[in-house]
Amino acid sequence: MRRPASGALPRLSRPGAALGLLLAALASPSFRAQEGAGQSGECGPGVTFCVGTERVVLHVTVVDRQDRFVTNLGRESFAVLEDDQEQNLTYFAQEDVPVSIGLVIDNSGSMREKRRQVNAAALEFVKASNPQDEVFIVNFNDEAYLDQDFTSNLDRLQDALQRIDTQGGTALYDATSISLDHLAEHGNKSYNKRALLVITDGEDTSSRMDLEILVRKLQSSDVTIYGIGILTDEERRAARRAERHLRSLTRPTGGPAYFPATFDEVEPLVKRIAADIRNQYIIEYNWPEGKGPGYRRVRIDLKGKARSNKVRHRPGYYAD
């Protein structure tokens, strides 16, 4: 029986883990506004919406009709609307900045024949990313293991990917929730971009984390989740369920979910995701005054000559 690596994330199978996970989610800085943060005008790690400053941070991808990244637009090309009201932008940039990233990789029994290709693709993702990015690796089956904490060392990441014990179920929601907490609590405070790349081949079967709570947590965070679903299950109904489970994680964050038809497509996809992260616009505005807590819809319209392009971003956020 494989044991959690040294410094691993909490095991979710221990008694009371479901209640503890729920309480941790509700209390985590990525889930609530951080009191007092507005005094300095900066958010704490993993906090997008702060008392006093109340920043809304959007990571925005723009592509043309051929799906090529568009990186030469100015501030005047973007109209940002919250609940149909246009907002004044307080920050705008298009730059390749370092990112805190988590690789969250399915290690369940059904991945036994797939992990070699997945590991190779994960390393290609790191190689295609900004050299200053910090990356951690969580392998999961019916439990989640932090097999490598934040590092830029390829040898350490490769070693963590080789810790394969493909057995058990798929605790997709638990692994995602814990990885969000790890980003918020231990990610580099000077990095204003955070992302998770989740690779799985099936639906969630083992999590104690409730999906509704997890979605609320995602809506209260500025982390973008990218998903790759390697769905080779011959049963069409099971594949559709697995696709819904993965999209339920990516959609609230504005990240895409990909479902390659063959293993040969995985490596180009991870390189595409790395390029997506490196070519995003960073847009900020202040939380509109006079509005109470709740979910706010966000829409970005492109203006002028940029209108023919496509834009992707989180569809909204939960302000608490």
Side-chain angles (χ1 to χ4, degrees):
M1 180 68 179
R2 178 169 173 269
R3 297 179 182 276
S6 177
L9 296 165
R11 298 182 60 165
L12 299 179
S13 59
R14 67 180 185 273
L19 178 59
L21 185 60
L22 172 59
L23 294 176
L26 293 173
S28 70
S30 60
F31 192 81
R32 58 179 173 80
Q34 180 175 329
E35 296 183 1
Q39 300 298 320
S40 64
E42 297 181 357
C43 293
V47 182
T48 304
F49 319 109
C50 309
V51 174
T53 53
E54 297 151 345
R55 293 184 304 143
V56 179
V57 182
L58 301 172
H59 302 128
V60 182
T61 299
V62 181
V63 297
D64 64 16
R65 292 178 179 177
Q66 285 73 48
D67 213 29
R68 297 172 300 195
F69 295 110
V70 178
T71 60
N72 59 350
L73 302 179
R75 181 191 296 242
E76 69 281 356
S77 297
F78 294 83
V80 179
L81 297 91
E82 180 176 304
D83 292 337
D84 297 324
Q85 298 296 315
E86 187 165 357
Q87 305 299 311
N88 294 319
L89 305 187
T90 58
Y91 181 81
F92 176 89
Q94 198 291 315
E95 53 187 344
D96 181 10
V97 298
V99 185
S100 296
I101 300 174
L103 299 181
V104 186
I105 301 180
D106 192 339
N107 205 19
S108 60
S110 58
M111 288 287 290
R112 183 171 292 109
E113 304 301 322
K114 308 168 189 176
R115 274 302 299 252
R116 180 176 298 178
Q117 295 95 327
V118 168
N119 291 352
L123 286 176
E124 289 303 315
F125 169 80
V126 176
K127 293 176 183 177
S129 300
N130 187 308
Q132 296 181 339
D133 287 352
E134 56 172 12
V135 182
F136 70 89
I137 292 177
V138 166
N139 289 308
F140 70 93
N141 40 46
D142 46 15
E143 296 177 336
Y145 304 85
L146 178 64
D147 278 322
Q148 176 58 56
D149 209 341
F150 284 109
T151 184
S152 299
N153 187 304
L154 277 175
D155 291 335
R156 292 180 181 176
L157 293 169
Q158 185 171 18
D159 180 63
L161 289 168
Q162 296 301 325
R163 295 173 190 167
I164 301 173
D165 185 19
T166 48
Q167 62 178 354
T170 305
L172 175 62
Y173 300 157
D174 286 349
T176 302
S177 177
I178 289 177
S179 298
L180 282 172
D181 292 340
H182 195 67
L183 275 173
E185 295 167 12
H186 302 290
N188 192 316
K189 295 180 178 62
S190 66
Y191 291 0
N192 66 351
K193 290 176 67 175
R194 285 167 285 275
L196 294 178
L197 171 55
V198 179
I199 302 178
T200 184
D201 74 339
E203 62 184 301
D204 187 291
T205 60
S206 305
S207 288
R208 297 171 182 264
M209 166 59 77
D210 180 78
L211 177 59
E212 184 176 352
I213 294 175
L214 179 56
V215 169
R216 168 78 172 271
K217 188 173 180 179
L218 293 169
Q219 292 170 339
S220 304
S221 167
D222 64 351
V223 175
T224 303
I225 297 184
Y226 298 82
I228 295 180
I230 307 173
L231 308 182
T232 57
D233 195 324
E234 295 181 359
E235 185 184 353
R236 185 173 300 176
R237 183 179 299 177
R240 285 199 299 265
R241 287 197 304 268
E243 182 174 335
R244 287 197 302 270
H245 283 211
L246 188 57
R247 290 192 189 279
S248 68
L249 302 182
T250 62
R251 188 178 291 115
T253 75
Y258 299 103
F259 301 92
T262 67
F263 284 120
D264 293 338
E265 297 177 16
V266 176
E267 186 172 314
L269 280 176
V270 298
K271 291 181 177 179
R272 171 76 182 185
I273 292 171
D276 188 300
I277 295 171
R278 300 186 72 168
N279 286 283
Q280 288 176 331
Y281 296 85
I282 304 173
I283 296 176
E284 297 181 12
Y285 65 92
N286 288 333
W287 183 352
E289 296 181 1
K291 299 176 70 173
Y295 186 76
R296 286 90 182 279
R297 294 176 294 106
V298 175
R299 187 178 87 244
I300 295 180
D301 293 336
L302 297 177
K303 301 189 292 185
K305 295 181 180 180
R307 292 176 62 183
S308 61
N309 299 310
K310 297 179 290 185
V311 61
R312 189 182 73 247
H313 57 89
R314 67 172 54 250
Y317 67 93
Y318 194 92
D320 201 350

